[in-house]
Amino acid sequence: GAGVSQTPSNKVTEKGKYVELRCDPISGHTALYWYRQSLGQGPEFLIYFQGTGAADDSGLPNDRFFAVRPEGSVSTLKIQRTERGDSAVYLCASSLTITGEPYEQYFGPGTRLTVT
Amino acid sequence: GNSVTQMEGPVTLSEEAFLTINCTYTATGYPSLFWYVQYPGEGLQLLLKATKADDKGSNKGFEATYRKETTSFHLEKGSVQVSDSAVYFCALSRPNTDKLIFGTGTRLQVFP
């Protein structure tokens, strides 16, 4: 079956511009996560959704970052007024549930964002 | 706070050598522990996990034991192959919060 997909795979934008990154989770997965991975670092948590609601957005670095999941499936990460420091690979993951025994998170291939 | 520390890479080994990649953690409560692997050109994949003290996770010949007394979760494999060349990430999640906290990753290079 299809895994987690992310589009675009690469995005180059100018400082100050607005970008949207899309994630299509595995069908039926209720939990969806966004992480950010800078060069030479491990992924850092940004936000997760249980269904349509953001259950934890404590990792969003500031109010320029926002994410939605209006129908409980596809999610969009939105970054306003991009800065060069936002350059990173943005990873999306999905899993079956959020409570109890930790279910495996399935990761997408990521979107490489470059802010020039 | 909660954090994961892994040995720096790259780790360079000959085929059939023994592998250890060290991982230690700091966490409140009793976290679950994971090893993820990223093969060249591919996304992160779960390699193994352990959810409580003294549990041993194993997969594809890799093993790691949850050691609460030393707050460690070292990854081992008895005989590595060239195909094991990848970046390995140790991670934890605290109870009831499945968000993962990752280490910085360790690159493994295996030569024939």
Side-chain angles (χ1 to χ4, degrees), chain A residues 5-12 20-22 88-91 108-114:
Chain A
S5 62
Q6 294 185 244
T7 54
S9 56
N10 279 284
K11 176 70 177 178
V12 180
E20 290 189 350
L21 311 179
R22 176 187 168 106
V89 176
Y90 288 81
L91 299 172
T111 294
R112 182 177 299 279
L113 175 66
T114 303

Side-chain angles (χ1 to χ4, degrees), chain B residues 58-111:
Chain B
S58 62
N59 187 25
K60 299 181 181 180
F62 290 88
E63 293 183 339
T65 301
Y66 189 142
R67 301 288 188 198
K68 186 164 174 57
E69 63 277 13
T70 54
T71 61
S72 65
F73 192 55
H74 304 322
L75 183 68
E76 297 182 335
K77 186 174 185 181
S79 176
V80 294
Q81 304 300 311
V82 173
S83 58
D84 294 326
S85 297
V87 181
Y88 292 81
F89 292 92
C90 185
L92 69 81
S93 69
R94 291 184 296 115
N96 298 319
T97 67
D98 283 348
K99 66 182 181 183
L100 294 166
I101 297 170
F102 287 88
T104 54
T106 303
R107 181 176 298 278
L108 170 66
Q109 297 174 324
V110 181
F111 293 94

Side-chain angles (χ1 to χ4, degrees), chain A residues 35 42-43 56 58 98 102 105, chain B residues 46 49 89 98-100 102-103:
Chain A
Y35 295 85
D56 183 348
S58 61
I98 192 68
Q105 293 186 25
Chain B
L46 178 65
K49 70 179 183 183
F89 292 92
D98 283 348
K99 66 182 181 183
L100 294 166
F102 287 88

Side-chain angles (χ1 to χ4, degrees), chain B residues 5-18:
Chain B
T5 302
Q6 329 181 197
M7 63 189 289
E8 291 189 13
V11 174
T12 304
L13 295 172
S14 297
E15 207 164 24
E16 300 183 2
F18 183 84

Side-chain angles (χ1 to χ4, degrees), chain A residues 61-76:
Chain A
N62 51 60
D63 61 5
R64 294 187 299 105
F65 288 74
F66 189 71
V68 295
R69 195 186 185 199
E71 297 178 355
S73 178
V74 171
S75 177
T76 304

Side-chain angles (χ1 to χ4, degrees), chain A residues 7-55:
Chain A
T7 54
S9 56
N10 279 284
K11 176 70 177 178
V12 180
T13 190
E14 292 180 349
K15 178 177 179 295
K17 299 289 189 183
Y18 168 84
V19 297
E20 290 189 350
L21 311 179
R22 176 187 168 106
C23 172
D24 281 87
I26 293 172
S27 178
H29 280 192
T30 54
L32 184 146
Y33 313 78
W34 284 99
Y35 295 85
R36 178 169 71 172
Q37 186 173 17
S38 300
L39 191 63
Q41 302 296 314
E44 292 180 298
F45 169 78
L46 296 176
I47 184 171
Y48 81 67
F49 291 86
Q50 177 65 3
T52 60

